[in-house]
Amino acid sequence: MGAEGASRRRIVGWAAVVCAATILLAIGGPLIGRGLLIGADATRTAPPWDADTPTSFVYRHGGINDTVDSGAPAREAIRRTLVDDHRLQLWDPYPDGGAPLGSVPNSGIFAPINWPLFPLGVSHGLAWAAFLRLAVAAIGMFFLLRRLGISRFAGVCGGLIYCTSGFLIVWNNYPQADIAAMIPLLFLAADVLRERRRAINVLAVAAVMAAMLLEGYLPLVLVTLYALGAFLLVRWWEASRGQDPDRPSLSARLRSAVTPAGLIIAAFALGAALVAFQLVPLVRGLDAYNISYRQNNANRLVPPAALLTSAFPWAQGSPAHPATLAVLNPEVRRFTVNFVEQFAFLGAAAVVMALWALLRGRPSRVSRGVYGYCVAGTALLLLVLVGTSVGPLPDIGATLTEALYLLPGINQVPLMRFVAPLLFFATLLAAFGVEHVAAADSPPFRFDRGSFLRIGAVVVALAYLAYRPLRDEITLLVDRKSTDYWGSTVVHVASQRSWILRNSVVPAIIAIAAITVIFVAWRWRGTVRTVALVTLPVLFAVEGLMVTTPMLPRVAESEYFPQTGVTRYLEANLGHERVAPAGKGMLYYATNPMYRIRSVSGHSFTDANWQQLIYATRPEYQLMLQNRLGQSLAVATSPILDRLAARYFVATPTAVPFGTPQAAPPVTGSVTIANGRPATGSIAPGPLRAIQVQVVGPERLRGDLVYLDAVVRDPSGKVLARGRRRLIDQRRTTTYYIGLSGEDLPAGTPLQVQVGIRSDRRDTVRLAATADGSVAIGTIRPAADGLRVTYADEGAVVYQRLHSLPRFRWASHAVVKDARQAYVALEAGVPADTVILGQRGPAAAGAPARVSVRRDSGDEIRLTVDAQGAGYVVVADAIQSGWQAELDGKTAPLRKADHALVAIHVPKGTHTIDLVARPRSWRAGIALSLAAVVIFVALLAWVVIRRRRVRTAQSATSGPDVANPPPSDRPGTPDPVPSAT
C-alpha cells in the first residue's frame, strides 16, 4: 500500500507541476517585465497613432478595445490619485462630459485579483492579475471537485482545464473573466456553509461574494447566483433525505433548510455590505444613465458554429491571424463573428473526457444529484446558446431562451455571457470523466442496458446540437461562405479554408490521444496505465497553451498609450475646455483620460441627457457606450457642441478639409519625386487650410512608412507653414489633401509649395504636373464657417471652434423650457448669454459678470464670480446627478440647464462657488461598508479567540480524542481520496 500511495502522490504532484507550469507559460514574459499583457497596440489601428504605424503592422488581439480605451484609463486614474494624492477619485472628468469613477465598481480595480495593479502599476500589474486569475480558477476548481468526491489527480486536471478555458482567456483584463474565475470558490464556500454552518464559513462566502461584486459586472454575478441556488437546492435535498426507515418528512426537511438558507443569505448580504461604498452609488445612479442596450439580449446572436470552438478553437479563424477572419475583399476589415463573445474553448481532450463521463455515468463517489445537476446545466446552456429547429423538431433553444429571460434580472444579461457557466459545468463533467479514467476502483465499462441507453442519449443529443454547426462549417470550408455576426453572408478566401483545416489537425490528434488514454486505463494496469495517466495533464496543458499563447496579448512597453503630436498639442492648449473627436476611431474612443483631455464623447456609462445631445449632432456611429461624432461640416459647427464647450474639432487627415476649394491648374503630365528630391509648385497668395495634389497611380510603395511632405515658402525661402500626410499603396490616381495651419498667411505674398516624400526605402512617386513641369496644386482656403485650423500633421487636423462657449460661463438671461422644447431650441441655436432651465428659478438681471476658475480637479470645482447683477453660472458638465454645490459655503441647488448641463443662481456681488462630487447614497454606502467591516472583523476575531480557547482546553487535558474529534471540528461528510492508479 505504501508503494501504491507513493505512486499516487507522484502522479498528483506531476499533474500539479504541469498545471503550475501551464499558468506560468501562458502569461510568460510580462510576469518579469518583458512586455505588457494588454493589447495596447490597438491604438495603432486608429488615428492619430495609425499615421506612424508601419504598413507591415498586423493587429492580432481581436475585439478587446474596451480593456484599452476604457478599462486601463479608468484604472490608471484611480491608482494615480490613490498613490500620488492619497485619495479616491470619485469622478472621471474626461469622457462624455464626465462619468462616475471610483464611486462605482466598473473598473474592478479594487477586486482582490487586481490588487497587483497598485504596487506594480497598471501596465505591469495586469500580468500578475492574470496570473492570480488563472491560479484562483485552478485552485477553486480543485477544491470544489475534492468536496464533490473527486480524487486529487482528477481535481488538478479539472483545475487545469478550467483555468485555460476560453472564457477566462479571451476575456482577459475584463471583469467578466475574474468573476468566472471565482465561480468555483463561491460554490465551494457556499456548500461548506450549507453543511457546517460556522461563522468562519459565513465569512468565507461573504469574502468571495464581495470580491465578485467589486469586479463591477453584476449581470454575470446574477447568473452565477441563479446557478448556485440550484446547486445548493440539490445538495440540501440529498443531504436531508436520510435513510429508511427513519426518512424525515417533507416538512421536517424544509425546516432543516431554514438555518443554512438564512446563513447563506446573511453571508451574501454581508458580502454586498462590504462593498456598499461602490455598490450603493452604482445602483442608485443607474437611472441617470442609458443602459437600454442591454434589454435585447434574448435575440439569437451566437453563431451555431461557435460550438465547434469548444474542441477546435480555430474553427472560425483566429484573431492572432486576422487574415483568417477577413472577408474576401481585403479592403473591408469586418470580422465574421465577434470572437470574444462566441469563443467557447474547453479543449478536445476535455470534451472527450466530458463525453466519457456521460457514457459511464456518475463516478462512484459523486452523488446522483450533483452529477444530474452538472448534466442538466450543461444541456440547458447548450440548448440556450446553440439549440435550434432541426427537421420536425421545434426551436427548442429559442423556447428555453425565452423562458430563461423570464427570470428576474436576466434581461440585463447578454446571451453570450452564458458561455461562462457553460464552461464551468462542462469542466465538472470533464473532471468526472478523468475520475473514471484515474480511479482504480472504478468498475470496468460494460455494454449493458444502462450503457446502451446512455450511448443512445448522447448520440441523439450530439446529432441535434452539432447538426447546424457542422453544416455551417462544411459550408464555410467547401463553399467558402458563412453568416457573420450581423446575419449577412460573408465570402471567405481560399486560404482561410486551408488555414482552418491545418489548425484542426493538432486538436484532432489530441482527441485521439485522449481516447487512447481512456482505452489504456480501461484495459491495462501497472506502468502502462501510469504512463497513460501522466500523459493526460500534458494533453490538457498543450491545448491550453495552444490557445493562451496567441490569445493573451503581449506588446512592447512603448505601445502603452504613446504620445503623438496631436495629443501633445491638445494637452498644452485645451485648458478647461473639451475636444470633439470625429470619425469612428479618432483618439480611440476614450483614451483621452490617459492624456488628460476632456471630450464630448467617449466610452463609458453616459448620462442619458448628455447622450441625447450627442445624438442630436447626428453622430457617425452609435454603439452601446460609444458615441463617435461624424466628420461633416454640420457636426463640426453644431450649436450643440458650442454649448458642450467643444473648443476643438479633431478630424482625420483623410477627410476632405472644411473650407473653400480652389482647383489646381490644368494637368498635362507628371513629375517624379523621391527622398531628398522634391518638386515645387506655385499657388495664389492668401490664407490656407490645406493643399491638394494628385498622386499618379497605380503606385506600389516599398517602404513601411511613407509620407507626403508639403512646405510653404515665401519668395525669400522663409518657411511659412508645413504639412504632412501618410501615403499608402493605391490602385489608381488619387487626390491627396495635406492639412496646413496656414490661416495667418499674408494675402499679398506669392507662395511656393515644395512637395516631397519621406520613405524608409528608396521609393519614388509621380505627382500630377502642369505644362512647365511644376506640381499642379489645388488649395482649400478658409471660409466663414466659424472654424480655424490651428494644428495639422500626419495624424489629424485640429480645428478651433470659434463660437464654442467656455465650460464655465455666465448667463445673464434665463428661459424655462421642458425637455423636448429645450432639445429643439439647442439644435437651432440659443444666444450665448442665455441658459435654458428645466424648471422656473430666480430671475436673471441681464447684467454681465466675470467667472474665474480656481480649481478644476476630477472631484472638485471652485469658481469665483464677480457679478454686476443676478444671473446664472453654467457648468457644461454632465453632473446633474451625483454632485452638490455650495455658494459662499452654503448649499445651493444645482439646476438642470441646457438639457444636460447644470446652472447655479448667483446674486449680485462677489461670490465663491464650490462643486463637489457626492454620488447619491455615497455616504450611506461608506457607512454600510464600515459597519460590515466591523461585523466581519468581529466575527473573525471571535472565531480566532474561540479556537484558541478550544486548543487551550485540549492542552490542559491528556490530549484530544483522535478517534472522536470535537463536534466543532468534525466534518459533515467523509472526503475519501480515490486511488489515481
Side-chain angles (χ1 to χ4, degrees):
M1 185 63 184
E4 183 181 350
S7 175
R8 183 170 64 246
R9 287 193 295 271
R10 285 195 295 270
I11 293 176
V12 173
W14 165 253
V17 168
V18 171
C19 182
T22 301
I23 294 175
L24 289 171
L25 292 174
I27 301 172
L31 286 174
I32 56 175
R34 299 184 61 182
L36 305 177
L37 200 74
I38 179 173
D41 58 343
T43 57
R44 286 288 181 191
T45 65
W49 300 274
D50 62 351
D52 296 324
T53 301
T55 306
S56 58
F57 170 80
V58 178
Y59 177 67
R60 300 183 181 275
H61 309 312
I64 58 172
N65 56 288
D66 296 15
T67 65
V68 178
D69 76 335
S70 180
R75 292 173 173 180
E76 287 280 9
I78 293 174
R79 181 188 179 274
R80 183 171 57 240
T81 54
L82 277 176
V83 174
D84 297 342
D85 302 337
H86 310 295
R87 65 181 179 87
L88 175 60
Q89 184 173 333
L90 303 178
W91 187 260
D92 188 349
Y94 300 110
D96 295 307
L101 187 62
S103 61
V104 293
N106 298 345
S107 68
I109 192 171
F110 292 112
I113 286 178
N114 291 314
W115 286 353
L117 275 60
F118 290 103
L120 300 177
V122 174
S123 58
H124 291 287
L126 288 172
W128 283 98
F131 173 82
L132 283 181
R133 179 187 313 122
L134 301 188
V136 165
I139 294 171
M141 181 59 73
F142 169 79
F143 282 107
L144 175 61
L145 287 167
R146 290 287 293 147
R147 177 159 183 82
L148 298 180
I150 297 301
S151 67
R152 289 186 176 88
F153 176 77
V156 173
C157 289
L160 175 56
I161 294 169
Y162 190 63
C163 75
T164 57
S165 60
F167 195 89
L168 269 71
I169 300 304
V170 79
W171 288 91
N172 176 62
N173 293 333
Y174 282 92
Q176 287 90 328
D178 294 343
I179 294 172
M182 289 184 279
I183 290 176
L185 279 181
L186 184 64
F187 273 63
L188 171 67
D191 192 50
V192 173
L193 174 57
R194 172 198 59 80
E195 179 188 329
R196 300 185 180 179
R197 309 176 192 180
R198 301 173 184 168
I200 191 65
N201 305 129
V202 172
L203 297 181
V205 173
V208 178
M209 176 54 59
M212 296 179 77
L213 292 173
L214 278 174
E215 292 291 349
Y217 192 73
L218 300 186
L220 187 54
V221 176
L222 180 63
V223 171
T224 302
L225 291 179
Y226 274 116
L228 176 62
F231 174 76
L232 293 175
L233 185 62
V234 169
R235 296 287 279 173
W236 159 77
W237 184 257
E238 287 191 322
S240 65
R241 65 185 176 185
Q243 299 292 332
D244 291 330
D246 299 323
R247 191 179 298 273
S249 64
L250 179 59
S251 60
R253 298 172 76 177
L254 291 175
R255 287 195 299 272
S256 69
V258 173
T259 299
L263 289 175
I264 291 171
I265 294 173
F268 288 161
L270 179 59
L274 286 171
V275 299
F277 71 100
Q278 286 193 322
L279 198 61
V280 172
L282 172 67
V283 175
R284 289 281 293 148
L286 284 179
D287 60 338
Y289 300 96
N290 183 8
I291 58 172
S292 60
Y293 69 92
R294 288 182 174 173
Q295 299 295 328
N296 297 320
N297 295 317
N299 295 334
R300 189 59 62 90
L301 294 176
V302 180
L307 179 63
L308 298 179
T309 64
S310 61
F312 298 89
W314 316 130
Q316 298 293 291
S318 167
H321 300 83
T324 66
L325 293 173
V327 297
L328 180 62
N329 184 353
E331 296 178 355
V332 182
R333 308 301 299 174
R334 180 168 163 182
F335 295 124
T336 59
V337 290
N338 185 329
F339 199 87
V340 173
E341 298 280 9
Q342 61 94 43
F343 195 54
F345 172 76
L346 189 69
V351 170
V352 168
M353 291 299 152
L355 291 174
W356 184 238
L358 293 175
L359 294 175
R360 290 297 312 271
R362 68 179 182 89
S364 59
R365 292 185 176 89
V366 174
S367 70
R368 296 182 184 277
V370 168
Y371 178 79
Y373 168 81
C374 294
V375 173
T378 304
L380 172 64
L381 292 176
L382 282 173
L383 289 171
V384 166
L385 288 169
V386 297
T388 184
S389 57
V390 175
L393 293 177
D395 194 340
I396 301 175
T399 303
L400 290 176
T401 301
E402 292 174 0
L404 185 65
Y405 274 91
L406 294 176
L407 294 174
I410 293 295
N411 66 331
Q412 293 292 315
V413 183
L415 184 65
M416 292 74 72
R417 302 301 184 271
F418 288 102
V419 171
L422 170 64
L423 294 178
F424 169 71
F425 290 131
T427 299
L428 294 176
L429 283 179
F432 295 165
V434 175
E435 180 69 7
H436 279 302
V437 174
D441 58 351
S442 180
F445 181 74
R446 301 183 185 279
F447 288 99
D448 52 19
R449 185 176 62 179
S451 64
F452 277 113
L453 289 176
R454 289 193 296 271
I455 291 173
V458 170
V459 169
V460 170
L462 285 178
Y464 170 70
L465 291 171
Y467 167 74
R468 280 283 302 278
L470 288 175
R471 186 193 66 181
D472 291 353
E473 187 73 7
I474 292 172
T475 302
L476 183 152
L477 296 177
V478 177
D479 296 337
R480 291 184 286 159
K481 293 182 180 180
S482 69
T483 302
D484 71 3
Y485 185 74
W486 296 269
S488 303
T489 299
V490 177
V491 180
H492 299 255
V493 296
S495 60
Q496 288 177 279
R497 173 173 54 186
S498 60
W499 189 92
I500 291 173
L501 290 174
R502 288 197 310 272
N503 284 274
S504 298
V505 172
V506 173
I509 293 175
I510 289 177
I512 294 172
I515 295 172
T516 303
V517 168
I518 293 174
F519 181 76
V520 169
W522 174 26
R523 298 298 301 271
W524 278 277
R525 291 292 183 267
T527 303
V528 176
R529 189 170 189 274
T530 300
V531 171
L533 294 182
V534 167
T535 304
L536 200 52
V538 176
L539 296 179
F540 299 140
V542 169
E543 282 197 291
L545 292 175
M546 185 175 67
V547 168
T548 57
T549 300
M551 290 301 297
L552 291 180
R554 298 168 184 83
V555 302
E557 191 169 356
S558 59
E559 298 288 354
Y560 192 69
F561 301 100
Q563 285 278 10
T564 68
V566 175
T567 56
R568 292 190 188 95
Y569 175 83
L570 293 174
E571 278 189 278
N573 294 276
L574 195 58
H576 302 288
E577 316 308 328
R578 287 198 176 82
V579 64
K584 290 186 177 181
M586 175 58 68
L587 295 174
Y588 203 69
Y589 320 147
T591 56
N592 28 15
M594 298 298 295
Y595 305 98
R596 306 194 181 190
I597 298 171
R598 290 180 176 85
S599 175
V600 299
S601 58
H603 186 175
S604 66
F605 281 104
T606 309
D607 177 85
N609 293 333
W610 185 277
Q611 191 174 50
Q612 288 173 8
L613 290 186
I614 297 296
Y615 284 1
T617 68
R618 308 298 188 266
E620 180 176 336
Y621 185 77
Q622 302 168 23
L623 173 65
M624 295 183 294
L625 305 180
Q626 303 173 37
N627 305 307
R628 310 175 198 173
L629 301 175
Q631 300 207 70
S632 67
L633 181 62
V635 173
T637 58
S638 168
I640 289 178
L641 294 185
D642 292 340
R643 312 296 282 196
L644 302 183
R647 184 179 183 184
Y648 293 109
F649 185 85
V650 186
T652 60
T654 57
V656 177
F658 304 130
T660 303
Q662 293 182 348
V667 175
T668 60
S670 64
V671 59
T672 301
I673 59 176
N675 281 336
R677 197 175 70 198
T680 303
S682 299
I683 59 174
L688 284 174
R689 286 184 178 173
I691 66 164
Q692 169 194 328
V693 297
Q694 278 192 335
V695 177
V696 180
E699 191 70 63
R700 182 169 181 81
L701 303 172
R702 293 176 293 175
D704 242 0
L705 290 171
V706 184
Y707 301 95
L708 276 175
D709 285 332
V711 180
V712 181
R713 305 177 187 269
D714 63 11
S716 67
K718 179 182 178 181
V719 176
L720 302 179
R722 292 179 182 273
R724 175 181 284 186
R725 172 73 188 276
R726 180 74 180 273
L727 190 63
I728 59 175
D729 289 347
Q730 54 191 29
R731 299 178 179 179
R732 61 186 66 86
T733 298
T734 306
T735 298
Y736 279 80
Y737 295 92
I738 305 176
L740 301 163
S741 56
E743 302 253 2
D744 295 325
L745 293 181
T749 303
L751 300 175
Q752 292 280 327
V753 180
Q754 188 179 73
V755 183
I757 67 166
R758 184 174 301 181
S759 173
D760 54 356
R761 301 287 294 273
R762 293 185 176 181
D763 280 308
T764 60
V765 173
R766 291 182 300 151
L767 301 179
T770 61
D772 61 0
S774 60
V775 181
I777 301 175
T779 60
I780 301 292
R781 304 287 183 175
D785 52 13
L787 302 173
R788 178 183 178 86
V789 175
T790 56
Y791 181 88
D793 67 4
E794 64 275 18
V797 177
V798 180
Y799 297 87
Q800 183 178 353
R801 305 182 67 260
L802 303 179
H803 301 310
S804 173
L805 300 178
R807 196 165 132 248
F808 308 108
R809 65 182 177 89
W810 176 256
S812 55
H813 299 85
V815 297
V816 179
K817 296 181 182 293
D818 61 26
R820 179 176 294 277
Q821 292 173 335
Y823 192 79
V824 174
L826 290 168
E827 282 190 282
V830 179
D833 62 351
T834 301
V835 61
I836 300 177
L837 300 177
Q839 294 180 341
R840 187 171 302 278
R850 183 177 63 192
V851 180
S852 303
V853 182
R854 301 302 181 193
R855 180 176 176 80
D856 185 16
S857 69
D859 297 341
E860 299 179 2
I861 298 171
R862 169 165 286 192
L863 309 172
T864 58
V865 184
D866 186 6
Q868 299 180 25
Y872 289 87
V873 169
V874 180
V875 180
D877 287 357
I879 57 176
Q880 292 182 350
S881 175
W883 280 68
Q884 295 178 355
E886 290 184 352
L887 179 65
D888 298 329
K890 298 180 179 179
T891 302
L894 271 177
R895 305 175 187 275
K896 291 187 177 182
D898 290 350
H899 191 69
L901 316 182
V902 294
I904 304 100
H905 181 261
V906 178
K908 180 181 179 180
T910 301
H911 305 276
T912 299
I913 297 176
D914 290 291
L915 294 104
V916 182
R918 287 288 183 270
R920 283 189 287 178
S921 302
W922 165 245
R923 295 183 186 275
I926 293 178
L928 187 56
S929 289
L930 290 175
V933 169
V934 170
I935 295 173
F936 191 94
V937 172
L939 283 174
L940 185 60
W942 179 77
V943 170
V944 172
I945 293 172
R946 183 171 179 271
R947 287 191 174 183
R948 286 182 178 177
R949 287 177 178 175
V950 170
R951 289 171 184 163
T952 301
Q954 290 177 347
S955 64
T957 64
S958 59
D961 185 352
V962 178
N964 296 287
S968 60
D969 294 331
R970 184 181 298 129
T973 56
D975 190 16
V977 182
S979 172
T981 60

